[in-house]
Amino acid sequence: MGPRHIAIIMDGNGRWAKNRHLPRTLGHVKGAKVVRPLVKACTERGITHLTLFAFSTENWRRPPEEVSTLMGLFGQYLEKEVSDMQKQGVRFRLIGDRSAFAQGLQDLIAHAELSTAHNQGIHLTVAANYGGQWDILNATREWQRANPLKGLELLDAPGLAPHLSMAGAPDPDLLIRTGGESRISNFLLWQCAYTELYFTDALWPDFNAAMLDDALA
Ligand code: IPE
Ligand code: IPE
Ligand code: MG
């Protein structure tokens, strides 16, 4: 059986732009355009879950102009893509602490989630203001709130699972990272315990279906 769930760390937008003497922003713009054809390619290959790392809890340390560009692009992506998601049957969900985002962006996220919730196609999850450590800590706190009479010595992996942000989804079979770095950068730490890891030097804005097939092979 082929992989059901692919997770991707979309890295290398800045270097893609630098190689072309363009501002980093344009690398992010080009990077965002890769997502729609990729979702389609995954659907065609029978993949049921695609999870994309778009913004880490560590990415707030970037220059404020770059952070606001990324937030703006994310909003534009949501505004533009919901109608196509409907056509393709995509089920959109965001994982990460959304309370840090501007209200307008939170509204766009909620709208995209609500309006695609009844679709029947691929589960597209975007991780934004997400960190694997945050996820595990948050789940632990939630477990404690749900089980106020139990001590932490009663917490086990199956008990924690429903409180993690990817609850209900199969763990990723394959994690792809573009951009040449061989690290996980605080992505799905818990969920990737048994995931195959694939690192490629390709920069994210260049990523395409042929490269996806290389990774799958
Ligand atoms: C990935 O590209 C996009 C985000 C992290 C938001 P980068 O912006 O990290 O690009 P490089 O690593 O500087 O090339
Ligand atoms: C990882 O890329 C996070 C995302 C793709 C959102 P970074 O470029 O931020 O990773 P590090 O911090 O260099 O490892
Ligand atoms: Mg990077």
Side-chain angles (χ1 to χ4, degrees), residues 130-141 160 164 189-191:
Y130 177 86
Q133 295 176 344
W134 167 83
D135 196 358
I136 295 165
L137 289 168
N138 188 56
T140 308
R141 291 188 198 105
L160 193 68
L164 288 158
L189 299 179
W190 179 282
Q191 296 83 351

Side-chain angles (χ1 to χ4, degrees), residues 105-144:
L105 184 52
Q106 290 188 45
D107 293 346
L108 286 169
I109 293 165
H111 173 254
E113 287 178 332
L114 279 171
S115 54
T116 64
H118 299 292
N119 289 343
Q120 293 299 312
I122 191 168
H123 294 266
L124 172 64
T125 303
V126 170
N129 195 21
Y130 177 86
Q133 295 176 344
W134 167 83
D135 196 358
I136 295 165
L137 289 168
N138 188 56
T140 308
R141 291 188 198 105
E142 265 195 29
W143 180 89
Q144 187 69 91

Side-chain angles (χ1 to χ4, degrees), residues 9 14 17-18 25 28-29 38 59 68 75 95 108 118 128 135 151 192 195-196 199 208 210 216:
I9 300 174
K18 191 163 179 253
T25 309
H28 297 314
V29 171
L38 175 71
N59 287 148
S68 49
I95 57 168
L108 286 169
H118 299 292
D135 196 358
C192 284
T195 300
E196 301 275 342
F199 300 100
N208 58 32
L216 289 169

Side-chain angles (χ1 to χ4, degrees), residues 37-73:
L38 175 71
V39 172
K40 198 155 175 282
C42 285
T43 299
E44 288 163 0
R45 284 156 183 75
I47 289 149
T48 58
H49 293 73
L50 175 65
T51 304
L52 302 175
F53 203 8
F55 192 86
S56 70
T57 48
E58 288 71 28
N59 287 148
W60 294 109
R61 293 184 206 138
R62 294 192 179 201
E65 315 82 66
E66 186 173 353
V67 170
S68 49
T69 298
L70 286 166
M71 296 296 154
L73 273 172

